[in-house]
Structures are given as structure tokens and as C-alpha cells.
């Protein structure tokens, strides 16, 4: 599976995490943020087979550890709650206690097993959760006016400027299965709101181990391929909940429609990942880097990430400067095996380097191309079949402003 | 050798690359740059034992490859020339031909062996050297008005705002030996002037293999521990020339004064490295990160570099914001073995994290500390004897400005 086969996937323009059968969602304002929604939830009628991927940061936030422990134990999630404005990270034993208490109270409120509750947090690091606000949020979970996927999408945001969601429909065993997701990310103002959170729901029936493997595979081609500033947070988490209410024959790697399901999952994940990159702090442009011709997909991925992480490349795109030297330079220091006299680079359709040497190109056309809201950098290493795509954003004055002066 | 023993090293405030016996230097304006000096040289009365370290970037510039080939062959350099404004990188076979011709013409002019000439370039990538300007420069090398270490220091600069030099004196076998250096780095305006160049001269007699090993060791604690934006250029090079004119017993690892010599070499290298970091594009502050208590020096180095490379940390220092969450986060994603509940962090003398948990500290004192021109971040992992220090600079509006709009 190297590309999304959109033909077999129906994109649902306004699909939400509640579009799959049997999922509800909502959000409330508890006072964690000044006026915005700050506590959200997704709930499935029945326990959903679930899988998660978590930050590799050694400082793992308490809610992430609590969620991982429960999910490892039962393989299922029925209810998940998210608070914004406070990450509950670097908070020691008290932080763990607060995450466990949240989990227990949600289980009581919703009448589900404690270990079927996932908890997630995003916001300031090193401050204990003000639990009285979470008590309020949990209390209000069932009230009619608090329901709605849009409320959930808003409640999980920190400094994001837009809500992020995506959904597709695929046919599995003749049943129309929906895969939907909501995400937040890229804002990082008060100490460290770096968190990338993503929640995916589906009414497909999927075997646990296959869902786990599939999520990992898809994450490597989506959420793991975006960077705003290269900082990997203490709270990053992606959860997928498959409640099986479409009653398809349970999906696994041997099912004839497995690849189709995976393509749907990948489409939703990539779409959310791109939305996160585009909403990067201070960003004015979405940058896509496509690398092909590498020895392996992994090598292609490292090269794509070296380019998308380069401050010099990001600043050049901001300034609409077709500065291919910086791209060449990033390819060169990526520490991947390359043959320098085979490397070719294009900005959109505009070839700028061929077989390791600069070629004459229309600089004005380059500048014009880079003035678009989305720009694609193509790198062909002509050295194998490995390929990868990464997404990021430009480096702007506003990025520095946001991160240098969060208190003012 | 983990720290510079300054007691045995006499720092020469105004020492230059010509302070060691038998070295001359100079620089001229050939028209590569509009009005500034752009072609410089260092020449030793006798062939000097020499060693080099070179960029790990896969795209290695032509002059760097030519210099490395000759030095590998003979182990000696008598004359080195540097041009600024053009990197002679990504220039293919013609670029190599131009570097070889420069080497040959310099050898003829100075009456030295071709393989005793080193050539270096820094400046724009992907444009062939305008050789007629280099011919002029070579022709003018012997004229009296073009001599002087200050002229050399200026001629190697691109967008640097100051010249960079350092020198020490050490006593070896009762002889006063001088070690001096000049460097450029940190500017990167027109396409990719990313180059870090450093040239060190000494009148000590040193065995080739020891000089090589010593330079590598010292580089790992100096030039390899600085970052302005993490981009490693196609032209980075450090060369050390030891002409032996002080007639000391030839230094090697068994010589009783070897460590002293190495300390001197390290002092000069670290001083130059810090000058480069401080003159980083748009920088207003020098940041030093000291990591101790790691399992190994290497692990400490990786952690120090993760912190000094974090845009979020750099922007926080620019804004004088004692945002320790970003430092914790960088420690956590450095992929080094750490015990999170042992990590302690201080800004100068101000402890902000102890044993993995935040402690109450005076935020105003933190802000005040970060308003200084040089700030030190201390990280203690309490997990071993490994230690390392890295240097960098803050991330500012001017960095974005310089790199987004080089053409205007």
C-alpha cells in the first residue's frame, strides 16, 4: 500500500466522529480555558475494539500512561474524554492520581468499565489538573445541549485556529462502513501546548491485533510525517475506536477488503495530518515534500523529514524564494545513502536540479509557484523504489512572535 | 580531558593566525563580493604537518574534496587559500577543475608543492567560480599592502557581522608554543552561505596521526557542539597547520605535555565555536547548554544538542521566558536513556526542575537571567558520569527576515 486509492473510497465532506453508527460526542466549557470549550468526549454505544499510538518522548504525560495501561489490558475503549489547557504532564504521582480519578468518575457517569475509559490532556506542562473543573465537565456529559461532534472538535483545541476533521466511507462485505476522525495540534503557546491528538472512530468490526498493526502502519505515513518545529510532545496520542456496529465480517489482514479499509484509515489520517501541518503556528503555507527513488521507504522518509524540518527551507518558502541550494543541503545531511549525481529536484512542475547539477530555470516562475497556499517539493534520488511524503509549514515572523512572547 | 585547564594555558587576547612563528596571512578584494575582501590566504615558511575535519554532508564541495585528497596524500599544508561569496558546491566536474586549477596556480605563485596547497570556498551554491577573479587574487598574494591576519579574517567572511579569532600560548619542553585560529560561520543569506570554516595555526611540532586524532577529539567538543539552525553545510571544514618552528620534541600521545597541547587546541576551538554561535543569523544571545550525569559523554552530547536545536527553546530565550517545559520536552525526545524522575534543570543558578518535577521559583528572576547576553541552561540527569556542553543562539524575527528575503 503506497498510495491512497481514492476511487474505492468515498470522501464525506462533512463527516464527523459521530457519523459512524453508534458514536456520540460533545463538549463543554468548565473554566479550564477562559471562554472556549475545554472538555470533550466521544462515547460508543458498545465497547469498541481500539488501538493507540503514543509519543516516544521519555516524559510521557499521566493520562497517556493511564490510557495505555487500560487499553493494553482490555483492548477496548467505550468512552474517551479530553481536556484542553492543561497537559497533566511532568506532574508526578499526583498527576497520575488525577488521571485515574478522571477515568473512574467517567466510568461511573457513563456506566462503562473503568478500563474502557480513555483519558487525554493537552495544554500547560507541570501544573496539576484543577479537578473541580473536571468534575463539572463529567457531570455535564449527558445534557442535551452539550452534544455534538463540533463541540468535541472545539473542546480539544488549544491555540489551533481551526477545527480539524475528516471522514470516508468504504464498502466492506457489502456494508457501508464509515471511518471518521478529529484532531488538534500545532499550537504551543503557554509553556508547551505542543500536543498532537487524534481520535478516529469507525463502525467497522476489526480484529484488535490487525487494528493495532494497521494504525501503526498508517501513522507512519501520516501523523509521523508532519512537523511544525520538530518538537515531539509529552502528550501526543492517536486512538482509533472500531465499534463493529456495521456487522461486517471482522476485518483482519486476510480479509479481501483489508487493504480498502486501510486505505480509508490512511486517507483520514493523512487528511487530518495535513490539516495539522497547515494550521502550524504562524504558518501561511502547507508544504508537501515528495521523495522517490530512495533505497527504501524509510530512507525516503528520513530525507523528506530532513527537508520539511529545515528552518532554512521553511523560511525560503515563506519568502517565496526558489532556493534549491537549501533543499540540496538538507538531502545531503540527512545521513541517508544517496548518489549525489543522481539527485533531481523540482518545485511543483519546475525542475531546478537534474542529476545533481543545477539547471537554468525561470526564477520568476519559481517565486510565483511558491506564493501558493500549498507547495510541493519533489525529490527524485533515482536510486531505488523507496518513496515517502512529508508535510509541514513555512517559518514566519508570527512563529517567533507566538513562541517568544506567550505571556504578553 | 573533560575541561579546559586554563591555568596552564595563557590566553593571548590579540593573538592571530600569524602569531605562531613562521606564518603569514593576508587578504584582497577581487570582486567576488561588492566591496569587501573576498580572497584570503595563510602561508607557512615551511610545510606544516596538517589535519582536517570535513562536513558529513553527502554533497561535498569541490575545494573540500581537492584539499582532502592532497592532505591524505602528503599529510602537509604550506599554503591555504579561501574565497568567499562562492561555495563552488554542486558544480560538478567544472567545479572540481576550477578547484584543482586554483591549487596549481597558488603552488606556482608561492613556490610550494601542489599537494601542499589547501583550497576552501564559502558562499553561493550551484554557481561556477568566476576564475578571472581568483587569478587576480593569486597574483596579488605577495604584495606588501595585502598582508595581515586581520585581512585574512575579513576575507573569509560572508554574512558574519564580526571577525572571529582566538589564540593561546602553552609551554612544551620549555618552548613557548602558540596555537591560534580564525573562523567564519553562521551567515547564510544568498542561497546557502551556511559554511563553517576554521583555520588553526601552531608553531609546535606534532606527529601527523596525533594531530589528526587530537583535532577530531577537540572538534567533537567544540565545532561539532554548536548549532545555529541545525543545517550542516556542503563546505564545512576545519584545518590545523603545525609547522614545528618552535623545535619542541615532536608531540604525540606519549609526550608528557600532550594533554596540555590538546587543552590549548580545545580552548582555541571552543572559543572560535562560541564566537560562531554568538554571531548566528539574527542572534541576540549566546546560549550554552551544560548536560551532566548522563550514561556517557555521547548521550550527554545528544541531549545538549536536542535542547540547543529546539526552535521552541531558542524562541523562549529570545523572549526571556523561563519556559522550562520546552527544555524538559527536548530532553524527553532526545532518544537517549534517561530516568525522568531524576532529571534536574537550572537556568544559571535558578533551579526550575528537580528530580523530574517542577519546583516553585521566582519567575521574575528567571526572566531577568534570560535577558543577559549569555545564558546557561544546566541539565543534571543524575544517572552517570557523562557530560557535554553545546552552544547556540536564540531564534529571532531577524533570523526569519534574513532567510526569507535574501534577494531584497
Amino acid at each position: 500500500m503506497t498510495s491512497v486509492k481514492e476511487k474505492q473510497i468515498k470522501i464525506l465532506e462533512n463527516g464527523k466522529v459521530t457519523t459512524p453508527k453508534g458514536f456520540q460526542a460533545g463538549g463543554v466549557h468548565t473554566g479550564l480555558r477562559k471562554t472556549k470549550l475545554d472538555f470533550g468526549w466521544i462515547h460508543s454505544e458498545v465497547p469498541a475494539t481500539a488501538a493507540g499510538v503514543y509519543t516516544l518522548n521519555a516524559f510521557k504525560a499521566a493520562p497517556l500512561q493511564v490510557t495505555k495501561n487500560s487499553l493494553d489490558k482490555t483492548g477496548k475503549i467505550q468512552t474517551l474524554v479530553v481536556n484542553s489547557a492543561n497537559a497533566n504532564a511532568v506532574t508526578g504521582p499526583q498527576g497520575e492520581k488525577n488521571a485515574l480519578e478522571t477515568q473512574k468518575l467517567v466510568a461511573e457517569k457513563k456506566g462503562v468499565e473503568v478500563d474502557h475509559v480513555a483519558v487525554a490532556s493537552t495544554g500547560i506542562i507541570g501544573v496539576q489538573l484543577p479537578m473541580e473543573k473536571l468534575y463539572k465537565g463529567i457531570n455535564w456529559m449527558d445534557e442535551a445541549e452539550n452534544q455534538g461532534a463540533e463541540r468535541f472538535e472545539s473542546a480539544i483545541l488549544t491555540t489551533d485556529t481551526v477545527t480539524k476533521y475528516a471522514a470516508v466511507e468504504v464498502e466492506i462485505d457489502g456494508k457501508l462502513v464509515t471511518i471518521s476522525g478529529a484532531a488538534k495540534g500545532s499550537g504551543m503557546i503557554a509553556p508547551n501546548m505542543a500536543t498532537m491528538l487524534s481520535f478516529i472512530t469507525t463502525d467497522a468490526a476489526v480484529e484488535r491485533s490487525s487494528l493495532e498493526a494497521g494504525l501503526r502502519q498508517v501513522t507512519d505515513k501520516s501523523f509521523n510525517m508532519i512537523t511544525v518545529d520538530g518538537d515531539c510532545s509529552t502528550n501526543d496520542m492517536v486512538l482509533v475506536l472500531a465499534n463493529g456496529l456495521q456487522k461486517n465480517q471482522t476485518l483482519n489482514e486476510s480479509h479481501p477488503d483489508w487493504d480498502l479499509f486501510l486505505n480509508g484509515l490512511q486517507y483520514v489520517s493523512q487528511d487530518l495530518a495535513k490539516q495539522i501541518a497547515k494550521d502550524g503556528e504562524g504558518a501561511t503555507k502547507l508544504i508537501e515534500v515528495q521523495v522517490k527513488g530512495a533505497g527504501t521507504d524509510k530512507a525516503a522518509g528520513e530525507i523528506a523529514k530532513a527537508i520539511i524540518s529545515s528552518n532554512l527551507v521553511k523560511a525560503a518558502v515563506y519568502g517565496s524564494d526558489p532556493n534549491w541550494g537549501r533543499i540540496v543541503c538538507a538531502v545531503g545531511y540527512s545521513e541517508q545513502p544517496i548518489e549525489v549525481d543522481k539527485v533531481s529536484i523540482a518545485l511543483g512542475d519546475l525542475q531546478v536540479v537534474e542529476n545533481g547539477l543545477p539547471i537554468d530555470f525561470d526564477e520568476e516562475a519559481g517565486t510565483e509557484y511558491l506564493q501558493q497556499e500549498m507547495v510541493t517539493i519533489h525529490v527524485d534520488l533515482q536510486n531505488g523504489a523507496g518513496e515517502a511524503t512529508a508535510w509541514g509549514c513555512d517559518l514566519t515572523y508570527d512563529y517567533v512572535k507566538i513562541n517568544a512572547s506567550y505571556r504578553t
Side-chain angles (χ1 to χ4, degrees), chain A:
Chain A
M1 186 186 69
T2 53
S3 68
V4 176
K5 299 185 195 82
E6 296 188 23
K7 271 180 230 164
Q8 301 166 277
I9 296 171
K10 185 175 167 199
I11 296 161
L12 305 177
E13 291 297 347
N14 282 307
K16 300 285 187 177
V17 287
T18 50
T19 307
K21 204 172 169 185
F23 285 100
Q24 297 131 27
V28 292
H29 174 248
T30 69
L32 284 159
R33 303 175 83 190
K34 266 187 202 149
T35 56
K36 292 177 179 168
L37 302 188
D38 51 26
F39 182 82
W41 58 85
I42 296 176
H43 175 76
S44 170
E45 275 177 25
V46 296
T49 299
V53 290
Y54 311 94
T55 183
L56 295 175
N57 198 305
F59 286 90
K60 288 178 175 48
L64 189 150
Q65 288 177 314
V66 165
T67 296
K68 184 174 187 307
N69 286 347
S70 289
L71 184 51
D72 286 350
K73 221 186 290 177
T74 66
K76 288 190 185 295
I77 295 174
Q78 187 160 7
T79 309
L80 73 83
V81 297
V82 188
N83 74 273
S84 50
N86 185 312
N88 193 9
V90 197
T91 45
Q94 182 62 41
E96 194 190 344
K97 227 181 106 191
N98 289 339
L100 285 167
E101 191 187 0
T102 305
Q103 187 186 36
K104 188 169 140 274
L105 292 174
V106 169
E108 282 168 11
K109 176 74 182 175
K110 300 300 294 181
V112 306
E113 276 188 41
V114 171
D115 282 328
H116 288 174
V117 175
V119 290
S121 300
T122 175
I124 193 163
I125 281 185
V127 176
Q128 298 297 343
L129 274 179
M131 288 303 289
E132 70 289 354
K133 291 176 183 161
L134 279 99
Y135 300 152
K136 280 201 282 187
I138 295 166
N139 255 330
W140 295 336
M141 284 177 75
D142 286 340
E143 297 181 19
E145 72 267 30
N146 298 333
Q147 308 308 313
E150 292 82 358
R151 294 182 70 90
F152 175 77
E153 290 160 8
S154 292
I156 66 177
L157 304 184
T158 50
T159 55
D160 304 56
T161 66
V162 292
T163 59
K164 297 163 182 80
Y165 56 93
V168 299
E169 191 180 81
V170 290
E171 197 181 315
I172 310 275
D173 297 335
K175 324 268 184 188
L176 284 180
V177 155
T178 308
I179 308 170
S180 297
K184 65 110 356 189
S186 91
M188 251 186 258
I189 292 186
N192 229 37
M193 300 199 175
T195 302
M196 191 281 293
L197 290 177
S198 216
F199 305 105
I200 299 170
T201 57
T202 177
D203 44 19
V206 190
E207 257 179 41
R208 171 94 211 288
S209 60
S210 305
L211 189 63
E212 264 198 312
L215 178 63
R216 215 167 301 124
Q217 193 177 332
V218 158
T219 300
D220 280 343
K221 291 178 186 286
S222 55
F223 302 111
N224 284 348
M225 292 307 287
I226 55 171
T227 183
V228 172
D229 47 21
D231 283 32
C232 157
S233 111
T234 51
N235 290 51
D236 289 349
M237 173 158 59
V238 181
L239 293 176
V240 53
L241 280 63
N243 69 9
L245 289 182
Q246 285 298 352
K247 310 278 182 205
N248 59 289
Q249 196 189 322
T250 303
L251 283 158
N252 62 20
E253 288 85 346
S254 323
H255 192 292
D257 290 334
W258 174 248
D259 278 354
L260 180 59
F261 175 75
L262 219 50
N263 281 340
L265 191 62
Q266 176 162 313
Y267 181 88
V268 169
S269 300
Q270 283 187 346
D271 198 353
L272 292 173
K274 283 193 261 190
Q275 292 179 49
I276 291 172
K278 193 174 178 185
D279 196 27
E281 285 181 330
T284 67
K285 295 170 191 175
L286 174 65
I287 309 175
E288 180 172 274
V289 178
Q290 293 187 11
V291 175
K292 66 177 183 177
T296 62
D297 286 355
K298 194 167 180 297
E302 293 300 318
I303 291 167
K305 280 199 275 190
I307 297 168
I308 205 78
S309 303
S310 161
N311 278 352
L312 289 170
V313 171
K314 289 154 63 88
V317 172
Y318 173 53
S320 298
D321 174 5
N323 196 331
W324 58 267
R326 296 179 181 175
I327 302 168
V328 164
C329 190
V331 172
Y333 67 67
S334 67
E335 299 182 16
Q336 300 306 312
I338 58 163
E339 292 184 44
V340 295
D341 56 355
K342 285 187 174 175
V343 175
S344 294
I345 296 172
L347 305 173
D349 293 332
L350 189 70
Q351 200 73 30
V352 292
V353 174
E354 205 161 72
N355 296 322
L357 286 176
I359 56 178
D360 270 337
F361 67 93
D362 180 348
E363 290 244 346
E364 264 180 51
T367 300
E368 209 169 295
Y369 176 71
L370 294 177
Q371 279 162 351
Q372 297 182 111
E373 267 191 25
M374 177 179 161
V375 303
T376 302
I377 297 169
H378 298 272
V379 176
D380 188 353
L381 304 169
Q382 304 189 78
N383 201 23
E387 56 182 35
T389 304
W391 299 273
C393 58
D394 52 345
L395 176 64
T396 68
Y397 296 109
D398 277 355
Y399 176 87
V400 177
K401 187 175 178 185
I402 291 167
N403 286 299
S405 54
Y406 80 92
R407 279 191 173 81
T408 55

